[in-house]
Amino acid sequence: MPSSPLTFFSLSLSLTWTNTLVYSLMITRKLLSGFPMDVASTIPFQTIYRIFNGKKQGDDVFGFLNLLRLWRLRRVSKFFSRLEKDIRFSYFWTRFCKLICVTLFAVHSVGCLYYWLATHYHTAENTWIGSNVTNFQERSISLGYTYSMYWSVATLTTVGYGDLRAHNTGEKVFSIFYMLFNIGLTAYLIGNMTNLIVHGIARTFAVRDAINKTLRYASKNRLPEGIKEQMSAHLTLKFKTAELQQEEVIRDLPKAIRCSIAQYLFHTTLENTYLFKGVSEDFIVQLVSEIKAEYFPPKVDIVIQNEIPTDFYIIVSGAVEVVTYKNGMEQFLSKLESPELFGEVGVIFNTPQPFTVRSKRLSQVVRISHHHFKQLVQPLNADGKIILSNFLQNLKGMEKEELQEIPLISQLLSDVNSEVSTMSRGQNHEGQSQDGNRITTTTLPTRVIIHGHHPHDKPNEGGIAGKLIHLPESVEDLLIIAEKRFRKRGSTIVMADGFPMEDLGALRENDHLYIV
């Protein structure tokens, strides 16, 4: 039987009323849980007794009833708990103030109880306060309170001056329990203070230990002083910029938040870099989400000449200098600042890095992985063409001294130019759809290394070494390229294990092919 709108409305109203009633009962139960004690701790029992009887009696009874006010101290504990969780306040000083308050409250409470024992003992002279102050009950309360606090503090700190001695059984029993209580209170105070101090200096100790271990390692291996200074400077910088290290700070956050942070910090820098000018917004967003930020102190080599290219870098802040080594002498080439990049020549050409790049001052750079960059560019053909065009334009604008340091620059440029033209021809013949507007996406060619000899034969001395090329579309084209490079015609293509190559499509990046 279908329900009517009225039935649905009644059911909704009933559920709403039920939920409201449940929440109201929960709130009421929470309020009533401490309500009786709150009321009892605020009732002036002694004043009410005097109003109705007109007599001043039962002071001891009403004094114990006034102890109900201590129930409200739980609010103080909750207050300190809120302060400890509030990042606007220093945790160290909040905890320190809490320990002081706990100590003062304990000393005050025990001092008051000790004074109460002395005032209610049948022979006042047979108490510790009475033995030091004649007729102390008839004198001011502040005097007795001072003596009681002196006894409490001296007993708590276990100092004493030979003048603290219980004069009766009650004081002895009370002193026994107080000293046992002091064991726990002292352990609590020492433990908390130790944790606070250790927490504050733990990072300093860790950095000092790391630097000492590094220096000992350098001394045992007799490393030069320059390398020692670089190692020490790196560890010191890591300590000072711990809060700024992107990976260490945000690694526990969800990926969406990490990407948002990276977009906010580095999106503009990547857009202004020459290599990525004109590329799509989607490419920038995907690239920024995978980059890693790093800090380098002054005079540290970030990229080393002739090392295998695995990453390239974009300067976010600071400056670096590009140098090269000739005949054992260092030669300065250029200075780079934000938002310029370095290391891209070795990555794009897949050749050893042609320059050494050294930080000139404290610098922040973002590192882009060669592998991730290639995976990102391959499906985005249009962006790949823009990046190659930007790269070629930058090479043309390089200083002559820098171009001379790039090995086989003319050959590499011809390879890149032929790649761009091949991609353009492929798009003109295959990429047009029926409406003539859509272009089919093509991937960048795989790069392989070809050799002009059999893999089991050693190349002749002075012979031509292996050549890095972009894999063509057919075996015939590959043989033609090999003939141009090695000046001899080959007929068979074998792999590094000596077996013939079966399919060009099965080849991977940096595979070695032998033309025989």
Side-chain angles (χ1 to χ4, degrees):
M1 178 179 180
S3 59
S4 64
L6 182 60
T7 304
F8 176 78
F9 176 77
S10 301
L11 180 60
S12 300
L13 184 61
S14 175
L15 291 174
T16 303
W17 183 84
T18 303
N19 291 335
T20 304
L21 179 61
V22 171
Y23 289 134
S24 299
L25 291 176
M26 292 174 62
I27 295 173
T28 303
R29 183 183 301 173
K30 186 175 181 180
L31 291 175
L32 292 179
S33 60
F35 182 73
M37 293 297 297
D38 287 335
V39 172
S41 63
T42 55
I43 296 176
F45 293 102
Q46 191 171 8
T47 303
I48 295 175
Y49 181 81
R50 290 180 181 178
I51 292 174
F52 284 98
N53 294 334
K55 299 178 181 179
K56 186 179 179 181
Q57 293 181 357
D59 289 342
D60 292 341
V61 176
F62 292 121
F64 284 111
L65 289 176
N66 289 333
L67 292 178
L68 293 174
R69 298 176 184 176
L70 297 177
W71 170 259
R72 288 180 286 181
L73 286 175
R74 77 188 194 281
R75 299 180 181 176
V76 179
S77 178
K78 293 181 180 179
F79 171 73
F80 276 108
S81 297
R82 289 196 301 269
L83 289 182
E84 290 173 0
K85 298 175 183 178
D86 196 332
I87 61 174
R88 295 175 299 175
F89 300 95
S90 170
Y91 178 80
F92 175 85
W93 291 111
T94 302
R95 194 74 177 175
F96 184 74
C97 292
K98 180 179 180 179
L99 295 177
I100 291 178
C101 292
V102 169
T103 304
L104 293 178
F105 175 73
V107 171
H108 166 76
S109 301
V110 174
C112 291
L113 289 174
Y114 193 74
Y115 182 74
W116 181 83
L117 287 176
T119 56
H120 287 75
Y121 196 70
H122 56 83
T123 305
E125 290 76 10
N126 197 25
T127 62
W128 180 78
I129 300 178
S131 64
N132 290 277
V133 182
T134 306
N135 298 325
F136 72 94
Q137 292 175 320
E138 299 176 0
R139 304 177 70 172
S140 63
I141 296 179
S142 60
L143 178 63
Y145 178 75
T146 302
Y147 272 81
S148 300
M149 287 296 292
Y150 168 74
W151 174 88
S152 180
V153 173
T155 305
L156 173 66
T157 56
T158 64
V159 178
Y161 294 96
D163 56 346
L164 301 179
R165 180 174 61 85
H167 286 69
N168 56 67
T169 304
E171 289 184 342
K172 291 178 180 179
V173 173
F174 183 76
S175 298
I176 290 172
F177 283 102
Y178 181 45
M179 285 185 282
L180 292 175
F181 167 76
N182 287 343
I183 296 175
L185 180 60
T186 303
Y188 172 77
L189 295 176
I190 294 177
N192 278 270
M193 290 303 300
T194 302
N195 286 334
L196 291 177
I197 295 173
V198 170
H199 178 75
I201 62 177
R203 291 178 60 245
T204 304
F205 276 136
V207 172
R208 287 175 60 90
D209 290 342
I211 293 176
N212 289 332
K213 290 179 180 178
T214 302
L215 294 179
R216 287 197 299 269
Y217 171 83
S219 298
K220 290 182 178 180
N221 291 275
R222 299 179 180 178
L223 298 180
E225 290 296 328
I227 298 180
K228 288 183 182 180
E229 293 178 359
Q230 290 183 4
M231 296 166 67
S232 178
H234 174 74
L235 293 175
T236 303
L237 178 65
K238 184 178 180 180
F239 170 70
K240 292 181 178 179
T241 60
E243 293 82 5
L244 301 176
Q245 294 292 337
Q246 183 184 15
E247 293 301 318
E248 296 182 4
V249 174
I250 68 175
R251 61 186 174 187
D252 294 330
L253 297 176
K255 185 177 181 180
I257 298 179
R258 295 200 304 268
C259 292
S260 300
I261 295 174
Q263 296 292 333
Y264 176 79
L265 294 176
F266 307 120
H267 188 280
T268 304
T269 302
L270 264 67
E271 279 186 331
N272 296 331
T273 302
Y274 86 84
L275 192 64
F276 304 126
K277 284 186 177 179
V279 299
S280 64
E281 180 69 15
D282 181 59
F283 176 85
I284 296 292
V285 170
Q286 294 184 56
L287 184 62
V288 171
S289 63
E290 296 294 336
I291 62 178
K292 296 181 180 180
E294 295 180 355
Y295 285 87
F296 291 93
K299 300 181 181 180
V300 171
D301 292 342
I302 305 175
V303 172
I304 301 176
Q305 187 174 351
N306 295 324
E307 73 174 350
I308 301 300
T310 57
D311 309 281
F312 64 97
Y313 303 83
I314 300 177
I315 304 172
V316 179
S317 61
V320 300
E321 55 184 8
V322 181
V323 299
T324 185
Y325 292 91
K326 286 185 176 180
N327 300 323
M329 300 295 294
E330 182 179 293
Q331 179 181 348
F332 174 81
L333 296 178
S334 63
K335 176 184 175 182
L336 303 178
E337 296 181 340
S338 177
E340 295 179 287
L341 74 162
F342 55 90
E344 79 281 8
V345 176
V347 168
I348 294 179
F349 284 147
N350 198 23
T351 59
Q353 293 290 0
F355 313 113
T356 291
V357 182
R358 181 181 300 127
S359 58
K360 191 173 181 64
R361 57 178 182 266
L362 176 62
S363 304
Q364 182 189 19
V365 300
V366 290
R367 176 162 52 92
I368 301 176
S369 169
H370 176 200
H371 178 70
H372 172 70
F373 176 71
K374 178 186 173 183
Q375 284 187 331
L376 186 61
V377 170
Q378 281 184 345
L380 303 175
N381 185 57
D383 290 329
K385 288 182 59 180
I386 295 174
I387 291 173
L388 285 175
S389 176
N390 293 338
F391 178 68
L392 293 176
Q393 291 295 328
N394 183 72
L395 284 181
K396 294 177 182 178
M398 273 189 176
E399 298 291 339
K400 183 178 179 180
E401 292 80 4
E402 295 184 20
L403 289 176
Q404 291 176 349
E405 298 303 322
I406 304 177
L408 305 176
I409 179 63
S410 58
Q411 178 182 330
L412 294 172
L413 286 176
S414 64
D415 288 345
V416 174
N417 285 325
S418 63
E419 174 189 340
V420 174
S421 61
T422 301
M423 291 168 59
S424 300
R425 289 196 303 270
Q427 289 178 353
N428 292 333
H429 291 291
E430 301 177 2
Q432 299 294 332
S433 62
Q434 293 180 356
D435 57 7
N437 295 325
R438 182 175 58 85
I439 298 178
T440 303
T441 301
T442 58
T443 60
L444 293 178
T446 302
R447 291 179 291 190
V448 296
I449 301 173
I450 59 175
H451 302 268
H453 59 87
H454 195 276
H456 296 160
D457 299 335
K458 295 183 179 180
N460 298 327
E461 293 186 3
I464 301 176
K467 297 295 184 180
L468 178 70
I469 66 169
H470 289 104
L471 188 66
E473 296 181 356
S474 65
V475 175
E476 283 297 325
D477 292 339
L478 180 57
L479 293 175
I480 293 173
I481 294 174
E483 183 179 3
K484 292 180 180 179
R485 298 297 170 84
F486 302 116
R487 297 182 179 87
K488 65 177 183 179
R489 179 71 177 180
S491 59
T492 306
I493 304 174
V494 299
M495 303 295 293
D497 54 8
F499 290 96
M501 183 198 65
E502 297 180 356
D503 183 14
L504 286 178
L507 296 178
R508 296 177 297 180
E509 186 80 6
N510 293 328
D511 275 350
H512 290 261
L513 302 179
Y514 295 83
I515 314 299
V516 294

